[in-house]
Amino acid sequence: MGNALFVVWRESVEAMLVVGILYAWLKQNAAPGGLRALWLGVGSGIGLALLLGWAMLTVQDELSGEALEWFQTAIVFVAAGLITQMVLWMAKHGRQIKGRLEAGLASATERGSWLGIAAISALAIAREGAETVIFLYGLGLEQGDGSALAIGAAAGFVLALATAWATARGLRFLDPRRFFQISGVLLLVFAAALLVAGVERLIGMGWLPPLAEPLWDSSALIDDTSTGGSLLASLVGYRAQPSLMLLLAYLGYWGGVLALKARLAR
């Protein structure tokens, strides 16, 4: 539930801030039909994200056995990869988003193309929505509690509305840059947990060797089947009895992420 709440909160805030940038520019520049095109694009972007979710569930229903296992495992890895890519992309391009969006709107307005305005907003919202759908699907595979996932997602959306309102009101306690920095770190932690889950699936399917299992047993301290342990498992990828392959995957992920972040910083 906590993962779903946070992911939906972060993605929804990003989407709402994008809509806010587009709305403010269109209001300021009085583009003919611009606001109608904006909301048409927002609706279309949401529709595309929902279509993706429907397609994934349809494919899942058509598969069984090993094919279903491969499909679900692939989605877990895709979700982990998308989270990582999104965080690193934002770290590099976050400051340029407003300028890029406004430049695209200016170009579409000069051509008198309300379809261009709708496309800009639709693509922006569809991207955030598609990422959210894939994240939630991946989280659902690992957590297995659909009702808790739905409650977490709903709570995250409500929290995002409150965050967007606070940002729009210019409340000083909310610094958008700091929000995205902190949330980015937490998203990377969630991505690492999904990666561990995916590698664990591949080991269970016999496609990866455990190498050595277990490396240690911390069940007496925190059992990953207990309430607190399962929470740690879903949030950070904790395992009480990890294999060497899981540890190498976890360390390799963080080594790669830190190397990429250092490269971006330079």
Side-chain angles (χ1 to χ4, degrees), residues 11 19 32 54 58 62 66 83 92 118 121 128-129 151 204 262 266:
E11 290 296 296
V19 172
W54 172 82
T58 300
E62 294 296 323
E66 187 175 344
I83 292 175
K92 182 177 181 180
S121 57
E128 303 298 334
I151 292 172
R266 292 195 300 267

Side-chain angles (χ1 to χ4, degrees), residues 192 195 244-260:
L195 177 70
L244 177 58
M245 178 61 76
L246 282 183
L247 180 63
L248 290 176
Y250 193 82
L251 294 177
Y253 172 82
W254 281 111
V257 166
L258 293 176
L260 286 172

